[in-house]
Amino acid sequence: MFVKHSKEFDLINSIKHLKRIDPDLERLFDCYQVNDLQPEKNHFKTLIRSIIYQQLSGNVARTIFERFKDIFPGDSFPEPQRILDTNIEKLRSTGVSYRKAEYINNIAQAFLDDPDTYLNLEKKNDEDIINSLTSVKGIGLWTAQMFLMFTLNRPDIFPATDLAIQKGYQNFFKLDELPKPASMIKNSELWIPYRTTVSLYLWAVLEGPFEW
């Protein structure tokens, strides 16, 4: 379910609202801590970072991402054309898999082919952003949701397919088995339009504040 993007992310006020509408969440907010979100302007950089972070622990992903940046001397993140001009084996030397290197090139090509779309994603609603991003091979729903949360700071994102969130949900609500994404999404409707806040806290249940 999507809602129109009409509110900015506001951690403090969203917690107050969520406590009023769902008292079961009070313990979640009182027992765990999360980091506030800050918007990021470089859409290309954050999407590349998302690809590198896929299916990796935070520490490993951060190391690979730093190595990736280091092969492009200079203070700024490389432009799409510069990445496309780089031998794929050089990209892989940073620890990036062959498939992820291909996905990174796909994103670079998309930014070159349609800059108006990808450089102005913040003007679109959540659903349109997901549709635009997932049209690029290598960007799935999870990556698009990470972009919405950590780059654009959209307030109502709930990545129910994320294993860490599923485990946090199971632990906090004391479930006997891992919840199904469909049931999580259904139950999360009560938290609209502040599901990003709940997501951040569910990550924190088992892993502490989400590192990005």
Side-chain angles (χ1 to χ4, degrees), residues 162-174:
D162 184 277
L163 182 59
I165 282 188
Q166 292 174 2
K167 289 181 177 179
Y169 188 105
Q170 178 188 12
N171 182 284
F172 180 74
F173 290 107
K174 296 179 169 48

Side-chain angles (χ1 to χ4, degrees), residues 5 9 32 34 44 71 74 87 89 94 99 116 134 157 210:
H5 177 55
F9 179 79
Y32 302 96
V34 302
F44 180 63
I71 66 174
N87 186 283
E89 294 302 327
T94 66
R99 179 170 293 181
D116 287 343
T134 55
I157 308 303
F210 191 84

Side-chain angles (χ1 to χ4, degrees), residues 5 8 39-43 116-126 129 147-148 151-154:
H5 177 55
E8 297 298 325
E40 297 193 48
K41 300 298 184 183
N42 191 330
H43 296 174
D116 287 343
T117 292
Y118 295 103
L119 295 175
N120 295 288
L121 288 168
E122 73 280 354
K123 298 176 182 178
K124 298 176 178 287
N125 64 38
D126 295 350
I129 290 171
F147 179 84
L148 286 166
T151 301
L152 300 184
N153 298 170
R154 294 294 171 89

Side-chain angles (χ1 to χ4, degrees), residues 97-156:
S97 68
Y98 186 82
R99 179 170 293 181
K100 285 187 178 182
E102 285 189 323
Y103 292 165
I104 288 169
N105 281 338
N106 291 344
I107 294 172
Q109 193 64 59
F111 270 73
L112 287 176
D113 291 343
D114 192 3
D116 287 343
T117 292
Y118 295 103
L119 295 175
N120 295 288
L121 288 168
E122 73 280 354
K123 298 176 182 178
K124 298 176 178 287
N125 64 38
D126 295 350
E127 186 171 12
D128 288 343
I129 290 171
I130 288 175
N131 289 336
S132 293
L133 290 178
T134 55
S135 68
V136 180
K137 185 178 180 180
I139 298 180
L141 176 61
W142 181 87
T143 300
Q145 289 174 324
M146 295 302 102
F147 179 84
L148 286 166
M149 291 179 72
F150 294 102
T151 301
L152 300 184
N153 298 170
R154 294 294 171 89
D156 194 46

